[in-house]
Amino acid sequence: MKTNKFFIIGVIFILLLILTAIFAPVLTPYTPSQQNLIERLQAPSAQHLFGTDDLGRDVFARIVYGSRISLSVGFISVFIILCIGTFFGIIAGYYGGTIDYIIMRFTDIVLCFPTFFLIILVIAFIEPNIYNVMIVIGCTSWPGLARLVRAEVLSLKEREFILAAKMMAISNVKIFFVHILPNIVSPLMVYSSLAIGGAILTESALSFLGLGVQPPMPSWGQILTSGKDYIYMAWWLSVFPGIAILVTVLSFNLVGEAIRDAFDPKNREANF
């Protein structure tokens, strides 16, 4: 991975994004909710790097502070996905039989619904805020991971070291954590990196529709929403948050693709 230029580029942008979120107050003298109607819809300048919106708020400040929202949603949502998907996948793959059948049929039912529309449906019945958005994205996006983990466990449980652990009467819980989880880390890493970008994109789309993070909290999707009414006279309201979303999602995808290629046996054989 060290020689993969795309991996390096992705990691650099992700680190820059994390540093931006941490040092947001240092990077801009403005707060994301600070209004100044006298300076509304000003074009990018030395005073306002990314211009101002319809309420005179500094767009650069809103994008910088919005990175905190995006990273929080991305990491926490994927953590929830990992917990649920890995649990169901290991249980289904390891025990098999009726347990496997019930879990997989439930997974198939969830997969029948388009994830984004299922999220919108759930959000419509609860209060749309950052916490509910993270929970809903995590609780509706796990089926793909569950199927992936199940497939990995089905091949692992027939391996000699798993059979030996059973013969030694080692508890199933210990087998899960000591023998199975360490051997499925690579697909989990790939899935997590790609899923973080997807979660950030989903949150931006929900905020654009008014179902995600609510004002006055800054969100890239909110900035896009305010920009759609001024697309011809205030292009910066759409361009800069759009670029932020594009670069962030692309960076996580590049890292995920690089990790997948690094753990691909075909690529390792080709290198030798």
Side-chain angles (χ1 to χ4, degrees):
M1 288 188 294
K2 294 180 180 179
T3 59
N4 190 316
K5 295 181 180 179
F6 294 113
F7 173 78
I8 296 174
I9 293 173
V11 169
I12 290 175
F13 276 111
I14 291 173
L15 290 177
L16 287 176
L17 182 65
I18 294 174
L19 291 175
T20 298
I22 295 174
F23 297 104
V26 179
L27 296 175
T28 173
Y30 302 99
T31 61
S33 58
Q34 183 177 343
Q35 301 181 15
N36 187 348
L37 297 179
I38 298 177
E39 297 181 349
R40 65 190 301 269
L41 297 178
Q42 285 194 358
S45 62
Q47 182 180 3
H48 300 286
L49 295 179
F50 291 174
T52 60
D53 63 8
D54 55 324
L55 296 177
R57 296 172 296 190
D58 186 78
V59 176
F60 178 73
R62 291 181 61 76
I63 290 178
V64 168
Y65 279 90
S67 63
R68 294 180 172 182
I69 302 295
S70 297
L71 288 177
S72 299
V73 171
F75 285 114
I76 296 177
S77 297
V78 171
F79 176 76
I80 296 173
I81 294 172
L82 285 174
C83 291
I84 299 176
T86 303
F87 173 78
F88 281 129
I90 290 179
I91 296 299
Y94 185 81
Y95 288 105
T98 303
I99 295 177
D100 180 29
Y101 180 83
I102 293 174
I103 292 177
M104 285 300 101
R105 296 298 74 77
F106 176 64
T107 301
D108 291 337
I109 292 174
V110 178
L111 284 173
C112 289
F113 300 93
T115 303
F116 186 72
F117 292 104
L118 180 60
I119 292 173
I120 291 179
L121 179 64
V122 176
I123 287 290
F125 289 96
I126 62 177
E127 180 185 358
N129 56 52
I130 184 173
Y131 304 106
N132 289 337
V133 167
M134 292 187 293
I135 294 172
V136 170
I137 292 177
C139 292
T140 56
S141 305
W142 57 266
L145 178 61
R147 295 171 71 95
L148 173 65
V149 172
R150 173 182 177 270
E152 295 289 332
V153 174
L154 285 174
S155 63
L156 281 174
K157 73 176 185 178
E158 302 301 331
R159 301 282 293 274
E160 290 79 3
F161 62 92
I162 298 293
L163 297 177
K166 292 181 180 178
M167 298 257 322
M168 296 172 62
I170 295 177
S171 66
N172 290 332
V173 174
K174 188 173 182 179
I175 291 176
F176 294 161
F177 284 97
V178 177
H179 299 286
I180 292 181
L181 275 179
N183 286 282
I184 61 174
V185 168
S186 58
L188 290 179
M189 289 174 60
V190 175
Y191 185 92
S192 299
S193 183
L194 298 174
I196 289 173
I200 291 174
L201 193 60
T202 300
E203 183 278 323
S204 299
L206 289 173
S207 296
F208 180 81
L209 297 174
L211 298 174
V213 178
Q214 299 298 301
M217 296 184 70
S219 168
W220 293 341
Q222 283 181 14
I223 304 173
L224 283 172
T225 300
S226 62
K228 65 183 175 61
D229 296 328
Y230 303 96
I231 187 66
Y232 294 109
M233 58 183 298
W235 54 268
W236 53 90
L237 292 179
S238 301
V239 171
F240 290 122
I243 292 176
I245 295 171
L246 172 65
V247 171
T248 301
V249 175
L250 180 60
S251 297
F252 280 105
N253 287 348
L254 289 176
V255 171
E257 293 289 340
I259 296 175
R260 185 189 64 182
D261 293 342
F263 287 105
D264 191 339
K266 295 180 180 179
N267 291 335
R268 286 202 295 259
E269 292 175 3
N271 291 333
F272 287 108

